[in-house]
Amino acid sequence: MEADRLRFHDFTFQRLPNGRCRAKVVLMWSDGREFVGQADGVTSQAGELRCSAVAAAEALTRAVEPRLVFEVLGVKAVRAFDATVVIVSLAARADSQATRLVGSNLTETDPPRGAALAVLNATNRILGNYLVTR
């Protein structure tokens, strides 16, 4: 159903002068409702990826709460097949049950954005199931 489609609407990432970073992810339902996730982190390769992934997980949680809560367990960029792949591991909690999810995104120019998109890749199927039972 098109009205229940959650879309990646906007992503911003900043490296701050104090050695920290900030990510903001905006997701939008087709009816125009927006859900924003923000996170701060340490400016380093791992810190920037985690910051972006946490912002995406927060936006997703806001979009589907209180039924689902997403938590970033880990995020890593690896070189494979002459490309950079960002891989995330998430926990999705519904009531007392937790499911572990893994997602990836192929990126060359913007690894922080790739981390946010990898979160969406990991949660795509579980969100589809949520929308069917909603």
Side-chain angles (χ1 to χ4, degrees):
M1 195 182 315
E2 185 63 27
D4 285 337
R5 181 135 186 218
L6 189 61
R7 296 183 183 270
F8 186 77
H9 181 69
D10 192 27
F11 174 78
T12 56
F13 182 82
Q14 300 173 301
R15 287 178 187 90
L16 305 173
N18 64 358
R20 308 246 337 138
C21 60
R22 178 171 297 133
K24 178 180 172 184
V25 173
V26 180
L27 304 176
M28 180 185 288
W29 288 114
S30 294
D31 65 9
R33 290 177 292 151
E34 290 186 355
F35 301 91
V36 178
Q38 297 184 82
D40 292 331
V42 177
T43 301
S44 68
Q45 181 185 14
E48 292 176 6
L49 295 176
R50 182 164 191 82
C51 179
S52 298
V54 167
E58 182 181 306
L60 279 168
T61 296
R62 290 176 190 260
V64 297
E65 67 186 350
R67 295 205 33 208
L68 290 170
V69 175
F70 296 100
E71 177 189 355
V72 175
L73 301 175
V75 58
K76 186 171 188 167
V78 297
R79 283 296 286 176
F81 310 111
D82 297 324
T84 300
V85 180
V86 180
I87 303 167
V88 298
S89 175
L90 304 170
R93 290 187 174 77
D95 300 319
S96 62
Q97 295 181 347
T99 303
R100 189 163 179 184
L101 307 169
V102 175
S104 63
N105 182 265
L106 186 66
T107 183
E108 284 301 325
T109 59
D110 194 352
R113 180 182 171 93
L117 291 170
V119 168
L120 297 177
N121 175 267
T123 58
N124 195 22
R125 180 167 304 216
I126 199 167
L127 283 177
N129 292 341
Y130 164 77
L131 293 174
V132 168
T133 61
R134 192 165 95 135

PDB file of all heavy atoms in Angstrom, residues 28-52:
ATOM      1  N   MET A  28      10.265   9.680   5.954  1.00  0.00           N
ATOM      2  CA  MET A  28       8.939  10.243   5.723  1.00  0.00           C
ATOM      3  C   MET A  28       7.986   9.175   5.206  1.00  0.00           C
ATOM      4  O   MET A  28       8.336   8.387   4.328  1.00  0.00           O
ATOM      5  CB  MET A  28       9.034  11.369   4.690  1.00  0.00           C
ATOM      6  CG  MET A  28       7.700  12.033   4.378  1.00  0.00           C
ATOM      7  SD  MET A  28       7.811  13.265   3.057  1.00  0.00           S
ATOM      8  CE  MET A  28       8.686  14.551   3.909  1.00  0.00           C
ATOM      9  N   TRP A  29       6.774   9.144   5.809  1.00  0.00           N
ATOM     10  CA  TRP A  29       5.703   8.329   5.256  1.00  0.00           C
ATOM     11  C   TRP A  29       5.181   9.047   4.019  1.00  0.00           C
ATOM     12  O   TRP A  29       5.302  10.275   3.896  1.00  0.00           O
ATOM     13  CB  TRP A  29       4.562   8.166   6.262  1.00  0.00           C
ATOM     14  CG  TRP A  29       4.855   7.275   7.419  1.00  0.00           C
ATOM     15  CD1 TRP A  29       4.950   7.658   8.716  1.00  0.00           C
ATOM     16  CD2 TRP A  29       5.069   5.859   7.408  1.00  0.00           C
ATOM     17  NE1 TRP A  29       5.224   6.565   9.514  1.00  0.00           N
ATOM     18  CE2 TRP A  29       5.302   5.448   8.739  1.00  0.00           C
ATOM     19  CE3 TRP A  29       5.104   4.896   6.395  1.00  0.00           C
ATOM     20  CZ2 TRP A  29       5.549   4.124   9.079  1.00  0.00           C
ATOM     21  CZ3 TRP A  29       5.357   3.576   6.746  1.00  0.00           C
ATOM     22  CH2 TRP A  29       5.574   3.205   8.063  1.00  0.00           C
ATOM     23  N   SER A  30       4.571   8.339   3.117  1.00  0.00           N
ATOM     24  CA  SER A  30       4.039   8.932   1.894  1.00  0.00           C
ATOM     25  C   SER A  30       2.983   9.993   2.172  1.00  0.00           C
ATOM     26  O   SER A  30       2.749  10.861   1.342  1.00  0.00           O
ATOM     27  CB  SER A  30       3.459   7.843   0.980  1.00  0.00           C
ATOM     28  OG  SER A  30       4.492   7.006   0.538  1.00  0.00           O
ATOM     29  N   ASP A  31       2.355   9.937   3.351  1.00  0.00           N
ATOM     30  CA  ASP A  31       1.350  10.951   3.692  1.00  0.00           C
ATOM     31  C   ASP A  31       1.976  12.238   4.230  1.00  0.00           C
ATOM     32  O   ASP A  31       1.265  13.162   4.625  1.00  0.00           O
ATOM     33  CB  ASP A  31       0.321  10.392   4.677  1.00  0.00           C
ATOM     34  CG  ASP A  31       0.910  10.039   6.036  1.00  0.00           C
ATOM     35  OD1 ASP A  31       2.088  10.374   6.305  1.00  0.00           O
ATOM     36  OD2 ASP A  31       0.192   9.430   6.838  1.00  0.00           O
ATOM     37  N   GLY A  32       3.322  12.319   4.281  1.00  0.00           N
ATOM     38  CA  GLY A  32       3.998  13.548   4.669  1.00  0.00           C
ATOM     39  C   GLY A  32       4.505  13.601   6.095  1.00  0.00           C
ATOM     40  O   GLY A  32       5.238  14.525   6.460  1.00  0.00           O
ATOM     41  N   ARG A  33       4.154  12.632   6.936  1.00  0.00           N
ATOM     42  CA  ARG A  33       4.669  12.633   8.314  1.00  0.00           C
ATOM     43  C   ARG A  33       6.174  12.352   8.299  1.00  0.00           C
ATOM     44  O   ARG A  33       6.615  11.425   7.634  1.00  0.00           O
ATOM     45  CB  ARG A  33       3.964  11.587   9.169  1.00  0.00           C
ATOM     46  CG  ARG A  33       2.524  11.943   9.469  1.00  0.00           C
ATOM     47  CD  ARG A  33       1.843  10.843  10.262  1.00  0.00           C
ATOM     48  NE  ARG A  33       1.713   9.670   9.391  1.00  0.00           N
ATOM     49  CZ  ARG A  33       1.693   8.415   9.810  1.00  0.00           C
ATOM     50  NH1 ARG A  33       1.790   8.138  11.085  1.00  0.00           N
ATOM     51  NH2 ARG A  33       1.575   7.419   8.950  1.00  0.00           N
ATOM     52  N   GLU A  34       6.929  13.178   9.033  1.00  0.00           N
ATOM     53  CA  GLU A  34       8.380  13.033   9.102  1.00  0.00           C
ATOM     54  C   GLU A  34       8.818  12.528  10.469  1.00  0.00           C
ATOM     55  O   GLU A  34       8.216  12.869  11.488  1.00  0.00           O
ATOM     56  CB  GLU A  34       9.071  14.372   8.840  1.00  0.00           C
ATOM     57  CG  GLU A  34       8.960  14.848   7.428  1.00  0.00           C
ATOM     58  CD  GLU A  34       9.777  16.103   7.180  1.00  0.00           C
ATOM     59  OE1 GLU A  34      10.360  16.675   8.137  1.00  0.00           O
ATOM     60  OE2 GLU A  34       9.833  16.514   6.020  1.00  0.00           O
ATOM     61  N   PHE A  35       9.894  11.744  10.465  1.00  0.00           N
ATOM     62  CA  PHE A  35      10.478  11.206  11.688  1.00  0.00           C
ATOM     63  C   PHE A  35      11.972  11.462  11.639  1.00  0.00           C
ATOM     64  O   PHE A  35      12.645  11.038  10.702  1.00  0.00           O
ATOM     65  CB  PHE A  35      10.159   9.720  11.826  1.00  0.00           C
ATOM     66  CG  PHE A  35       8.683   9.468  11.851  1.00  0.00           C
ATOM     67  CD1 PHE A  35       7.996   9.227  10.681  1.00  0.00           C
ATOM     68  CD2 PHE A  35       7.979   9.551  13.043  1.00  0.00           C
ATOM     69  CE1 PHE A  35       6.627   9.041  10.690  1.00  0.00           C
ATOM     70  CE2 PHE A  35       6.610   9.369  13.057  1.00  0.00           C
ATOM     71  CZ  PHE A  35       5.928   9.112  11.878  1.00  0.00           C
ATOM     72  N   VAL A  36      12.467  12.161  12.640  1.00  0.00           N
ATOM     73  CA  VAL A  36      13.855  12.605  12.656  1.00  0.00           C
ATOM     74  C   VAL A  36      14.634  11.843  13.722  1.00  0.00           C
ATOM     75  O   VAL A  36      14.166  11.683  14.853  1.00  0.00           O
ATOM     76  CB  VAL A  36      13.933  14.122  12.945  1.00  0.00           C
ATOM     77  CG1 VAL A  36      15.377  14.591  13.021  1.00  0.00           C
ATOM     78  CG2 VAL A  36      13.162  14.901  11.891  1.00  0.00           C
ATOM     79  N   GLY A  37      15.809  11.393  13.343  1.00  0.00           N
ATOM     80  CA  GLY A  37      16.739  10.794  14.280  1.00  0.00           C
ATOM     81  C   GLY A  37      18.040  11.574  14.238  1.00  0.00           C
ATOM     82  O   GLY A  37      18.505  11.941  13.155  1.00  0.00           O
ATOM     83  N   GLN A  38      18.606  11.842  15.409  1.00  0.00           N
ATOM     84  CA  GLN A  38      19.872  12.572  15.483  1.00  0.00           C
ATOM     85  C   GLN A  38      20.803  11.857  16.451  1.00  0.00           C
ATOM     86  O   GLN A  38      20.350  11.247  17.416  1.00  0.00           O
ATOM     87  CB  GLN A  38      19.638  13.998  15.975  1.00  0.00           C
ATOM     88  CG  GLN A  38      18.778  14.811  15.023  1.00  0.00           C
ATOM     89  CD  GLN A  38      18.645  16.243  15.472  1.00  0.00           C
ATOM     90  OE1 GLN A  38      19.537  17.035  15.218  1.00  0.00           O
ATOM     91  NE2 GLN A  38      17.553  16.558  16.146  1.00  0.00           N
ATOM     92  N   ALA A  39      22.087  11.972  16.159  1.00  0.00           N
ATOM     93  CA  ALA A  39      23.087  11.374  17.051  1.00  0.00           C
ATOM     94  C   ALA A  39      24.375  12.168  16.952  1.00  0.00           C
ATOM     95  O   ALA A  39      24.667  12.773  15.919  1.00  0.00           O
ATOM     96  CB  ALA A  39      23.334   9.914  16.686  1.00  0.00           C
ATOM     97  N   ASP A  40      25.135  12.154  18.035  1.00  0.00           N
ATOM     98  CA  ASP A  40      26.463  12.760  18.083  1.00  0.00           C
ATOM     99  C   ASP A  40      27.466  11.645  18.310  1.00  0.00           C
ATOM    100  O   ASP A  40      27.143  10.627  18.929  1.00  0.00           O
ATOM    101  CB  ASP A  40      26.565  13.763  19.232  1.00  0.00           C
ATOM    102  CG  ASP A  40      25.697  14.985  19.002  1.00  0.00           C
ATOM    103  OD1 ASP A  40      25.458  15.346  17.835  1.00  0.00           O
ATOM    104  OD2 ASP A  40      25.259  15.580  19.999  1.00  0.00           O
ATOM    105  N   GLY A  41      28.674  11.860  17.832  1.00  0.00           N
ATOM    106  CA  GLY A  41      29.706  10.856  18.015  1.00  0.00           C
ATOM    107  C   GLY A  41      31.089  11.458  17.916  1.00  0.00           C
ATOM    108  O   GLY A  41      31.250  12.674  17.815  1.00  0.00           O
ATOM    109  N   VAL A  42      32.089  10.605  17.905  1.00  0.00           N
ATOM    110  CA  VAL A  42      33.487  11.007  17.805  1.00  0.00           C
ATOM    111  C   VAL A  42      33.875  11.015  16.332  1.00  0.00           C
ATOM    112  O   VAL A  42      33.507  10.116  15.576  1.00  0.00           O
ATOM    113  CB  VAL A  42      34.383  10.020  18.582  1.00  0.00           C
ATOM    114  CG1 VAL A  42      35.848  10.376  18.427  1.00  0.00           C
ATOM    115  CG2 VAL A  42      33.989   9.983  20.039  1.00  0.00           C
ATOM    116  N   THR A  43      34.635  12.038  15.935  1.00  0.00           N
ATOM    117  CA  THR A  43      35.094  12.109  14.556  1.00  0.00           C
ATOM    118  C   THR A  43      36.244  11.122  14.352  1.00  0.00           C
ATOM    119  O   THR A  43      37.380  11.387  14.740  1.00  0.00           O
ATOM    120  CB  THR A  43      35.533  13.536  14.179  1.00  0.00           C
ATOM    121  OG1 THR A  43      34.419  14.410  14.359  1.00  0.00           O
ATOM    122  CG2 THR A  43      35.979  13.617  12.727  1.00  0.00           C
ATOM    123  N   SER A  44      35.911   9.981  13.816  1.00  0.00           N
ATOM    124  CA  SER A  44      36.847   8.937  13.406  1.00  0.00           C
ATOM    125  C   SER A  44      36.068   8.084  12.425  1.00  0.00           C
ATOM    126  O   SER A  44      34.837   8.212  12.336  1.00  0.00           O
ATOM    127  CB  SER A  44      37.307   8.093  14.597  1.00  0.00           C
ATOM    128  OG  SER A  44      36.230   7.327  15.105  1.00  0.00           O
ATOM    129  N   GLN A  45      36.714   7.211  11.701  1.00  0.00           N
ATOM    130  CA  GLN A  45      35.960   6.397  10.748  1.00  0.00           C
ATOM    131  C   GLN A  45      34.868   5.608  11.462  1.00  0.00           C
ATOM    132  O   GLN A  45      33.703   5.658  11.084  1.00  0.00           O
ATOM    133  CB  GLN A  45      36.864   5.441   9.978  1.00  0.00           C
ATOM    134  CG  GLN A  45      36.059   4.615   8.985  1.00  0.00           C
ATOM    135  CD  GLN A  45      36.871   3.547   8.269  1.00  0.00           C
ATOM    136  OE1 GLN A  45      37.977   3.218   8.665  1.00  0.00           O
ATOM    137  NE2 GLN A  45      36.305   3.003   7.219  1.00  0.00           N
ATOM    138  N   ALA A  46      35.220   4.908  12.522  1.00  0.00           N
ATOM    139  CA  ALA A  46      34.232   4.095  13.246  1.00  0.00           C
ATOM    140  C   ALA A  46      33.185   4.969  13.921  1.00  0.00           C
ATOM    141  O   ALA A  46      31.991   4.660  13.912  1.00  0.00           O
ATOM    142  CB  ALA A  46      34.935   3.216  14.275  1.00  0.00           C
ATOM    143  N   GLY A  47      33.609   6.086  14.512  1.00  0.00           N
ATOM    144  CA  GLY A  47      32.680   6.975  15.205  1.00  0.00           C
ATOM    145  C   GLY A  47      31.667   7.599  14.274  1.00  0.00           C
ATOM    146  O   GLY A  47      30.480   7.735  14.618  1.00  0.00           O
ATOM    147  N   GLU A  48      32.101   7.996  13.085  1.00  0.00           N
ATOM    148  CA  GLU A  48      31.197   8.612  12.110  1.00  0.00           C
ATOM    149  C   GLU A  48      30.170   7.610  11.597  1.00  0.00           C
ATOM    150  O   GLU A  48      28.989   7.935  11.447  1.00  0.00           O
ATOM    151  CB  GLU A  48      31.994   9.200  10.951  1.00  0.00           C
ATOM    152  CG  GLU A  48      32.817  10.394  11.370  1.00  0.00           C
ATOM    153  CD  GLU A  48      33.699  10.951  10.264  1.00  0.00           C
ATOM    154  OE1 GLU A  48      33.592  10.482   9.107  1.00  0.00           O
ATOM    155  OE2 GLU A  48      34.493  11.862  10.558  1.00  0.00           O
ATOM    156  N   LEU A  49      30.604   6.377  11.358  1.00  0.00           N
ATOM    157  CA  LEU A  49      29.674   5.344  10.893  1.00  0.00           C
ATOM    158  C   LEU A  49      28.635   5.041  11.963  1.00  0.00           C
ATOM    159  O   LEU A  49      27.435   4.951  11.683  1.00  0.00           O
ATOM    160  CB  LEU A  49      30.434   4.069  10.519  1.00  0.00           C
ATOM    161  CG  LEU A  49      31.384   4.161   9.332  1.00  0.00           C
ATOM    162  CD1 LEU A  49      32.130   2.849   9.158  1.00  0.00           C
ATOM    163  CD2 LEU A  49      30.659   4.555   8.063  1.00  0.00           C
ATOM    164  N   ARG A  50      29.092   4.888  13.202  1.00  0.00           N
ATOM    165  CA  ARG A  50      28.170   4.586  14.305  1.00  0.00           C
ATOM    166  C   ARG A  50      27.190   5.734  14.516  1.00  0.00           C
ATOM    167  O   ARG A  50      25.994   5.511  14.710  1.00  0.00           O
ATOM    168  CB  ARG A  50      28.933   4.286  15.588  1.00  0.00           C
ATOM    169  CG  ARG A  50      28.004   3.919  16.718  1.00  0.00           C
ATOM    170  CD  ARG A  50      28.729   3.241  17.875  1.00  0.00           C
ATOM    171  NE  ARG A  50      27.779   2.682  18.794  1.00  0.00           N
ATOM    172  CZ  ARG A  50      27.171   1.509  18.658  1.00  0.00           C
ATOM    173  NH1 ARG A  50      27.451   0.738  17.629  1.00  0.00           N
ATOM    174  NH2 ARG A  50      26.289   1.093  19.535  1.00  0.00           N
ATOM    175  N   CYS A  51      27.662   6.951  14.493  1.00  0.00           N
ATOM    176  CA  CYS A  51      26.812   8.127  14.665  1.00  0.00           C
ATOM    177  C   CYS A  51      25.687   8.126  13.625  1.00  0.00           C
ATOM    178  O   CYS A  51      24.513   8.330  13.961  1.00  0.00           O
ATOM    179  CB  CYS A  51      27.681   9.380  14.531  1.00  0.00           C
ATOM    180  SG  CYS A  51      26.815  10.932  14.671  1.00  0.00           S
ATOM    181  N   SER A  52      26.015   7.880  12.388  1.00  0.00           N
ATOM    182  CA  SER A  52      25.022   7.873  11.312  1.00  0.00           C
ATOM    183  C   SER A  52      24.041   6.716  11.450  1.00  0.00           C
ATOM    184  O   SER A  52      22.835   6.885  11.246  1.00  0.00           O
ATOM    185  CB  SER A  52      25.730   7.795   9.952  1.00  0.00           C
ATOM    186  OG  SER A  52      26.545   8.932   9.776  1.00  0.00           O
TER     187      SER A  52
END
